[in-house]
Amino acid sequence: LREAGAWPSRLVCVAMEKGWEQVAAVVGVLASGAAYLPVDPALPPERFRYLLASGEVSVVLTQSWLESQLPWPDGVTRLAVDTLPPGGALPHPVQTPDDLAYVIYTSGSTGQPKGVMIDHRGALNTVLDVNRRFEMGPADRVLALSSLSFDLSVWDVFGTLAAGGAIVLPDAGAERDPGHWAARMAATGTTVWNSVPALLELLVEGLEGRDAPSALRLALLSGDWIPVPLPDRARALFPGLRVVSLGGATEASIWSILHEVDRVDPAWPSIPYGRAMANQSVHVFDRFFEDRPDWVPGRLHIGGSGLARGYWKDEP
């Protein structure tokens, strides 16, 4: 990668289906000093080319069976990770904590997609906070369901590896098959779940009335509204399960706020959103950026070390 021009502040695209190659790719990109740009190979050709062009990508890591299928722009160097020979020791780091770790593009629901620039300091702050709070260790097995283009995957990979645990990968194309998840959990002894609430709800619906497939101890839920009955339904299947509500934005290094869901009152209208995580802040302001009093609606603002550097090619 370094020979191909991968250095700090440069983006290396990772265009792959779910698989071990994704993990090798993102670790390799960061070892080179560059930042990774995940691009879903299933995107429409026009969007695929736009993201590579916008990211000024000159090097792509992919899988050999996709190399001849994807609409590559001219002049892009492509490396199929599954065909590369094993390397030696990792090179000496050349990046700093303020250099980019990854760029993830938003969906573009308000116009063209925007590339959110996250540096090493912000991502590491979130990863280590979660690992310390929930005592992640070498015995943990994390089922990595999220797409590489969704920032929950950042913790799946780097949180798990930092703790010495193992990443459990679903088969490509089976990321939305709860029967497949249960089989993988049973085969690997999965201990940690990390997803949007709807996916855990699918698993629970498929398992109710059956034996649990693993000794799941921790469920991290974020990215959407958590149904009020879901935590207790999950604990009925996995006794002792710790259920945690997390929130934040792609623009704030995965998560910024959390709440461990203990007792749930069925009359609650919602699960509490939570409190700010380590070295981060959350405020409710009015439109003049003044604090709103308790129980008065306002706009939620995130601050602290997790904030993105800005949008790619649109820094403030």
Side-chain angles (χ1 to χ4, degrees):
L1 284 173
R2 285 188 178 176
E3 291 171 358
W7 290 96
S9 300
R10 297 291 300 275
L11 300 187
V12 174
C13 175
V14 177
M16 297 185 180
E17 296 175 337
K18 180 68 80 173
W20 66 265
E21 298 91 347
Q22 290 182 326
V23 180
V26 296
V27 170
V29 171
L30 297 193
S32 77
Y36 71 91
L37 169 65
V39 177
D40 189 340
L43 286 174
E46 183 178 349
R47 176 61 62 89
F48 185 89
R49 291 192 191 94
Y50 170 82
L51 294 181
L52 267 65
S54 176
E56 300 174 341
V57 168
S58 61
V59 184
V60 177
L61 295 180
T62 189
Q63 294 152 315
S64 57
W65 57 92
L66 295 177
E67 208 280 333
S68 62
Q69 299 178 19
L70 296 178
W72 307 109
D74 293 338
V76 171
T77 298
R78 303 184 294 277
L79 301 173
V81 168
D82 54 302
T83 65
L84 296 176
L90 292 178
H92 188 274
V94 294
Q95 65 269 66
T96 72
D98 296 318
D99 282 318
L100 290 182
Y102 61 86
V103 170
I104 288 180
Y105 273 80
T106 62
S107 62
S109 56
T110 58
Q112 287 286 16
K114 296 178 179 179
V116 178
M117 303 190 300
I118 299 295
D119 60 26
H120 289 275
R121 189 189 309 277
L124 185 65
N125 179 70
T126 301
V127 164
L128 293 184
D129 187 14
V130 172
N131 284 10
R132 288 174 184 142
R133 286 176 190 265
F134 303 112
E135 302 174 319
M136 290 292 298
D140 280 308
R141 306 289 179 262
V142 178
L143 184 62
L145 293 179
S146 294
S147 163
L148 200 65
S149 302
F150 186 23
D151 63 350
L152 296 194
S153 68
V154 177
W155 185 83
D156 286 342
V157 174
F158 296 102
T160 307
L161 295 183
I167 303 166
V168 178
L169 293 160
D171 292 343
E175 297 95 329
R176 296 297 179 265
D177 180 353
H180 177 69
W181 307 337
R184 295 293 288 139
M185 293 170 71
T188 61
T190 295
T191 61
V192 179
W193 179 280
N194 176 36
S195 80
V196 295
L199 297 189
L200 181 63
E201 193 168 32
L202 277 177
L203 178 73
V204 167
E205 288 174 353
L207 291 178
E208 284 176 328
R210 298 167 52 192
D211 292 334
S214 74
L216 199 67
R217 71 173 188 89
L218 178 65
L220 306 176
L221 301 178
S222 59
D224 205 350
W225 189 274
I226 299 175
V228 172
L230 181 59
D232 285 340
R233 290 176 67 194
R235 283 191 282 255
L237 285 169
F238 302 99
L241 178 69
R242 298 175 72 179
V243 179
V244 183
S245 167
L246 300 106
T250 305
E251 290 86 346
S253 298
I254 318 172
W255 302 300
S256 302
I257 195 168
L258 63 73
H259 171 73
E260 185 161 357
V261 185
D262 190 4
R263 184 191 65 84
V264 176
D265 185 338
W268 282 355
S270 63
I271 299 295
Y273 196 39
R275 298 179 183 274
M277 294 170 62
N279 303 311
Q280 303 196 63
S281 64
V282 179
H283 299 273
V284 180
F285 290 151
D286 62 18
R287 63 192 181 95
F288 301 108
F289 298 96
E290 298 289 340
D291 280 309
R292 301 295 275 168
D294 290 350
W295 307 110
V296 176
R299 298 177 178 180
L300 194 63
H301 291 258
I302 297 170
S305 66
L307 283 183
R309 276 180 32 182
Y311 294 112
W312 178 255
K313 298 202 298 186
D314 188 28
E315 295 188 64

